[in-house]
Structures are given as structure tokens and as C-alpha cells.
Amino acid sequence: MVGRTPMVRLNKLSQETGCEILAKVEFCNGGGSVKDRAALFLIQDAERKGQLSAGGTVVEGTAGNTGIGLAHMCSAMGYKCVIYMPDNQSPEKVSTLKLLGAEVRQVPVVAWTDDNNYNHQARRYAESIENAVWTNQFDNVANRQAHIETTGPEIWDDTNGKVDAIVFATGTGGTLAGTSIYLKDKNPKIQTFLADPQGSVLYKYFTEGKLERTDGSSITEGIGQGRITKNLEGAPIDQGLLVMDADAVKTTFSLLYDEGFFVGASSGLNVAGAVQAARLMGPGHTVVTCLCDTGHKYYSRLFSRDELEKRGLLECIPEAHRHSLH
Ligand code: PMP
């Protein structure tokens, strides 16, 4: 089950901004996240190019959700799945990948420019064995093609073409770029906002033209990019928005307690970005974003009292609910 996810109206935030704040519920994909769309297209791309045949191995470098999507599909399609990931990711993601039958190789966190970055290790391993493909989610544009062919058309249909802005955070950039390419082709007036977490470089790139980090590191996972990936290259993006962790966390808890959605921090960041965009555009506009995944994978970080306290984020949670954090 990939795509055709529900579109919901976020009532409280729509009321507060005078805009329609809408979100695609991406955790309704079978593997539980927006990345199922890319995972399916990456596997189909490899099959079409003859890089993968029966009994083959899919290898990917991933912080989690792409791996979960790939592992699900590999299991159903009869492929082996090997996932390289940085060793700073939540243990829930590792357990899920293992449960799905993937082999997980956790490697030390080093920058893309280092030869031992998890993506380079994934590529080298795929090259070293027969009938294997490195799906290369960051730079294989089959990723954004998934959103050109599914997310974009779905948003257009869900809103009957009445959409003024889209707002997405970026990991690979596939969601933002693909959706923007499709929707701008339908209506060039649609505004595309890139919502960036603290510590990532894209906000400055799309506001000042400099690939330079903003201060801090983020509690969000799966988003925040240090370079222009091939999926982002040439994509129509109008404006960068910086969403601080305090805002992303506050919004994640507002989604939980006010709107009825238990989601991860990238969803909170997306929605906080959508509110910023709504305020910039003014009342009467329709702003679309997505809820990327659920909160279940993030107990050890986002929903941990110690972690929130350590990062100075505990006061973002409504006082009445602080006692319920573990
Ligand atoms: N949210 C979460 C939780 C993710 O795992 C990812 C992808 N890593 C994204 C958002 C961003 O998606 P994309 O790669 O399409 O930019």
C-alpha cells in the first residue's frame, strides 16, 4: 500500500492562521512513512535498468525510513536487504529493520566528504557482490520521480487544484522537489517553501545563496541536509524557512494533544513550517504539507524527558503533560 494517503485539515492551526492548513497523512503508507513512495520507485528503477533480478540484494544508506520501506518491499518481493546507517539513530528503527529481515550495519557518523560515510560504504558493498544494487536515494532521481508521479498529482486532486503553497522539510529532497516539479507545472504561482531544521545548510542556501550551516543540532531525525543532492538539483524552490527545534517540538505536541496525530518531529517541523508560510502569505490561502511518520520510533529521543531536558526543550511541552513523559 503505497500512496493515495488521506489529506486532512488541521483544524486548530487553520483557525489560528485564517488559512487552510492541510496535510497528507504519509504514515498511512504500508511501511509507515513518506519514504515508502521513494523505496518502491527505487526498486522498480533498478529492475527496469536490469540491475536487480530474482534473489538479488538491495543495499542502501539510510537513517531509517527509506530502509524500513525497502526492507518491507524486499521481503514481499523476495530480495535481500542490507542497510547501512549512522550509529546515532534511534534504536527503535534498528529493531524494526531487523524484524523486517534486513541486515543492519551501523557505522560511525562521519560527513559525506569522508570516504567512510554510510552512503559510500553502502555503494562499495553493493559493488563488491553479484546481483546487487545500491539504490542511492540521495542522488538517484527515481526518488523524486515517485513524488512527481504520486504525491504531486494526489495533492492536486485532493484540493481540486486549490493549493497556494507547499511546505516540506528535506532529507534527500525527493518529496519537496518531486511535488514541486509536478505542481508548478500545473500552476507556476504555487509557492514552494523548504522548511529546514537548525544545523542544516539549506535555509541559508535558499535565502542567502551560501551553503553554510545554521547554529545548533536538531532533535529531528531523517531531515536536515548538508549539500544539494541530485534530487534537489534544479527543483523549483521559492523560499527557505528556518524552523527551530522549540517550534518543531511544540508543534509535534500540539498535533498530539490538539489535532489527534501521534507523529515524529519532522511532521511537527513540517507543520510549523506550514504555519510560518501561512503567516507570510496571509489569510485565505491553502497551504499543504505532510505528516511523514508516526511517533512510535522516537520514544528514546523526542518523547524522552531526559533528552528534552538536556536540549532545553522540556518547556515546549504543555505543563499538564510533562509528568506523562518517560
Ligand atoms: N521525515 C522523515 C521522518 C524522514 O525519514 C525523511 C527522509 N529521510 C523525511 C522526512 C524527508 O523526506 P525526503 O527524503 O523525501 O526529503
Side-chain angles (χ1 to χ4, degrees):
M1 196 178 86
V2 179
R4 295 181 187 254
T5 52
M7 172 81 95
V8 295
R9 178 178 188 268
L10 299 175
N11 290 330
K12 185 165 180 258
L13 297 172
S14 296
Q15 210 165 21
E16 277 174 17
T17 56
C19 284
E20 290 292 291
I21 309 272
L22 308 179
K24 291 284 275 178
V25 186
E26 290 301 300
F27 58 75
C28 286
N29 287 302
S33 88
V34 65
K35 298 301 301 201
D36 287 358
R37 296 179 189 261
L40 181 62
F41 272 62
L42 289 165
I43 291 180
Q44 288 175 339
D45 178 63
E47 287 174 335
R48 232 184 344 259
K49 289 177 177 160
Q51 296 166 328
L52 193 62
S53 55
T57 306
V58 171
V59 187
E60 184 56 290
T62 162
N65 279 322
T66 304
I68 290 168
L70 288 170
H72 256 292
M73 282 165 216
C74 285
S75 171
M77 293 163 139
Y79 296 124
K80 293 189 221 49
C81 184
V82 178
I83 300 297
Y84 282 80
M85 66 193 291
D87 60 9
N88 62 347
Q89 298 296 302
S90 61
E92 292 92 328
K93 290 196 227 176
V94 181
S95 309
T96 307
L97 284 166
K98 288 185 176 162
L99 181 74
L100 290 168
E103 184 186 329
V104 181
R105 299 183 178 178
Q106 290 178 271
V107 299
V109 187
V110 290
W112 174 263
T113 44
D114 189 313
D115 221 29
N116 282 324
N117 176 276
Y118 64 107
N119 284 289
H120 306 318
Q121 296 207 41
R123 174 181 47 77
R124 282 198 296 272
Y125 178 67
E127 283 167 1
S128 75
I129 58 171
E130 286 295 308
N131 193 11
V133 66
W134 171 49
T135 38
N136 189 12
Q137 59 162 336
F138 289 95
D139 294 312
N140 180 348
V141 291
N143 169 356
R144 77 182 188 190
Q145 192 62 30
H147 301 280
I148 294 174
E149 290 184 31
T150 70
T151 320
E154 287 173 33
I155 290 174
W156 186 256
D157 292 347
D158 292 340
T159 58
N160 290 319
K162 200 196 159 315
V163 47
D164 300 299
I166 53 170
V167 182
F168 295 109
T170 63
T172 62
T175 309
L176 177 80
T179 307
S180 183
I181 288 168
Y182 179 85
L183 289 174
K184 291 254 192 193
D185 189 49
K186 285 293 208 184
N187 175 6
K189 290 200 187 119
I190 293 171
Q191 293 295 295
T192 299
F193 293 90
L194 184 156
D196 222 19
Q198 56 196 50
S200 168
V201 304
L202 297 178
Y203 169 70
K204 281 211 177 157
Y205 185 75
F206 287 103
T207 46
E208 300 167 28
K210 287 187 275 192
L211 265 181
E212 208 174 81
R213 282 192 191 284
T214 50
D215 291 340
S217 71
S218 177
I219 197 168
T220 61
E221 292 181 50
I223 56 172
Q225 183 50 256
R227 67 189 178 95
I228 302 297
T229 62
K230 286 264 183 334
N231 278 291
L232 276 172
E233 238 170 60
I237 293 164
D238 295 292
Q239 202 172 326
L241 302 170
L242 179 62
V243 181
M244 303 303 285
D245 272 7
D247 198 11
V249 170
K250 222 179 272 175
T251 309
T252 307
F253 279 85
S254 163
L255 286 166
L256 179 61
Y257 296 124
D258 303 326
E259 308 275 2
F261 289 107
F262 179 40
V263 291
S266 74
S267 304
L269 185 135
N270 267 353
V271 173
V275 169
Q276 275 193 36
R279 298 231 155 91
L280 286 170
M281 296 189 70
H285 293 97
T286 298
V287 182
V288 178
T289 186
C290 76
L291 305 179
C292 311
D293 66 355
T294 70
H296 296 94
K297 291 188 289 276
Y298 306 110
Y299 278 113
S300 57
R301 192 175 298 182
L302 177 61
F303 299 108
S304 146
R305 189 190 172 89
D306 284 355
E307 186 69 22
L308 287 167
E309 202 156 26
K310 200 168 75 191
R311 290 173 180 263
L313 293 168
L314 199 56
E315 54 272 26
C316 301
I317 286 88
E319 209 168 344
H321 290 289
R322 279 180 213 160
H323 70 278
S324 50
L325 288 164
H326 73 99

